[in-house]
Amino acid sequence: MSHLRFAHFSDPHLPLEPDKPRGWQWLSKRCLSYASWRRKRRAIHDPAITQALVSDVKRAMPEHIVVTGDIANLALPGEFQRGAAWLAGLGAGAAVSYVPGNHDALAFLPHEQGLGLWDAHMRDDDGRVMFPYCRIRGPVAFIGLNSGVPSPLGLATGRLGAAQIAGLETLLSALGQRGLCRIILLHHPVAAGAVPWRKRLADAPTLRAVLARTGAELLLHGHAHRGIYAALAGPGGLIPTLTMPSASARRHGRYPQARWQMIAVEDQGTSGWRIEACVRTLTGDPALGQRPDFAAFARYVFLLPKAAEIKVRSA
Ligand SMILES: [Fe+2]
């Protein structure tokens, strides 16, 4: 029986400095977002925390790493250049899977100056750059979706679009028939009420309808900057979804400090999938002169039927 251990974290929000919007770049949502970064976000997101988190992840030696969006803050060209170097430091393209967040798509940027610089971490197994992408590692099929779209002022919504959702449905059906553990990577949480209206995934109802037909074994999210466990309806029972807080955050207001999770997937044959998520949380706040480190925080275990078994039972 095969298995895979992989790490998941989200929303690292790497430092914006030395960038700031220039010239025409002020004529966009970046203007307000820059004010927000200067006023509060800069004091919340600390690169020393991200560095400690990445060290903790590497010490645990995962077989793969997934990051569910928001490396950037204002989607400025310099952020994509520094983000490319940071991703390369995390691991090779084949070892690290990334999906974009709303901050990576805050305002329009030509592909070659923006997301194109991170292509190596968003390629399909056959080398294509497209969404949904599919990467098979052991018994797991990672399916990457792109919900990052520029949204109007005051909103942080996401959208997949009809073509991406149709492609996902085809992919989920095929991967389920092949007996793979289907894990969806998507920045915006999908469960109803998981995030406020202004942060929602606009086509979440359509996506939930697809998942109710095809099933999936797990969804991993970011965006909320909170830890959320929720479940969606699937054809053979509930589909778990796990959302991680920001990987660079100090504890602030009602938002928790940084966390990451190690997820172990085990193929238990006709008994189905055993998925165990061990969440680790930040201890020590560098802003208070403490050394940032990580410790065990929570554990989730899911025992899930395989897609093929569900069909047999319902036949
Ligand atoms: Fe974020």
Side-chain angles (χ1 to χ4, degrees):
M1 284 177 224
S2 55
H3 50 84
L4 185 82
R5 278 173 77 249
F6 70 94
H8 167 231
F9 62 91
S10 198
D11 296 68
H13 291 288
L14 297 186
L16 177 63
E17 288 77 14
D19 282 340
K20 63 178 183 180
R22 295 172 207 285
W24 60 270
Q25 291 169 342
W26 286 108
L27 303 173
S28 72
K29 194 177 166 183
R30 289 189 182 104
C31 182
L32 277 186
S33 295
Y34 182 60
S36 164
W37 173 261
R38 297 275 302 180
R39 200 175 64 248
K40 56 177 185 178
R41 296 172 66 91
R42 189 169 55 166
I44 293 168
H45 298 286
D46 186 331
I49 294 175
T50 319
Q51 203 175 347
L53 183 145
V54 170
S55 296
D56 199 52
V57 166
K58 289 191 171 180
R59 269 195 301 275
M61 295 196 292
E63 294 166 272
H64 196 74
I65 298 175
V66 303
V67 186
T68 44
D70 278 4
I71 287 176
N73 301 283
L74 306 189
L76 289 167
E79 294 190 276
F80 286 97
Q81 290 159 15
R82 290 192 302 279
W86 179 81
L87 273 171
L90 197 56
V96 177
S97 296
Y98 187 75
V99 289
N102 55 303
H103 281 266
D104 302 324
L106 196 82
F108 174 76
L109 199 61
H111 184 73
E112 62 277 11
Q113 292 177 37
L115 284 176
L117 298 180
W118 303 346
D119 270 357
H121 301 273
M122 299 187 285
R123 281 185 198 284
D124 219 77
D125 272 339
D126 57 14
R128 287 173 303 174
V129 178
M130 56 179 290
F131 292 98
Y133 67 68
C134 176
R135 299 174 145 203
I136 296 173
R137 303 288 181 271
V140 173
F142 292 110
I143 301 152
L145 296 173
N146 182 4
S147 58
V149 287
S151 56
L153 281 179
L155 299 184
T157 49
R159 182 181 293 279
L160 293 170
Q164 199 176 173
I165 292 178
L168 175 69
E169 181 158 15
T170 305
L171 198 54
L172 285 172
S173 298
L175 294 168
Q177 282 167 17
R178 284 176 60 185
L180 290 159
C181 182
R182 300 160 297 175
I183 298 184
I184 295 175
L185 316 177
L186 170 60
H187 183 67
H188 290 77
V190 180
V195 290
W197 184 86
R198 68 172 206 89
K199 291 186 172 184
R200 76 196 188 284
L201 180 72
D203 38 17
T206 312
L207 176 56
R208 288 195 295 266
V210 166
L211 293 169
R213 288 194 293 272
T214 62
E217 280 61 54
L218 179 66
L219 281 84
L220 299 176
H221 306 298
H223 189 50
H225 291 203
R226 292 191 294 126
I228 303 170
Y229 162 72
L232 304 172
L238 296 176
I239 304 170
T241 77
L242 293 170
T243 301
M244 282 289 103
S246 163
S248 57
R250 313 173 56 203
R251 186 175 185 82
H252 55 292
R254 61 196 168 92
Y255 293 94
Q257 67 271 44
R259 292 180 201 158
W260 71 275
Q261 57 186 345
M262 179 71 89
I263 299 179
V265 177
E266 193 180 326
D267 181 349
Q268 298 193 316
T270 52
S271 300
W273 299 108
R274 183 183 190 277
I275 301 179
E276 178 176 312
C278 292
V279 183
R280 290 175 65 79
T281 190
L282 175 69
T283 60
D285 183 344
L288 302 177
Q290 299 161 346
R291 191 172 70 88
D293 205 349
F294 283 77
F297 175 70
R299 190 169 73 106
Y300 299 88
V301 177
F302 306 108
L303 301 172
L304 304 167
K306 291 187 173 174
E309 298 292 321
I310 293 166
K311 279 187 182 162
V312 169
R313 281 210 301 266
S314 60

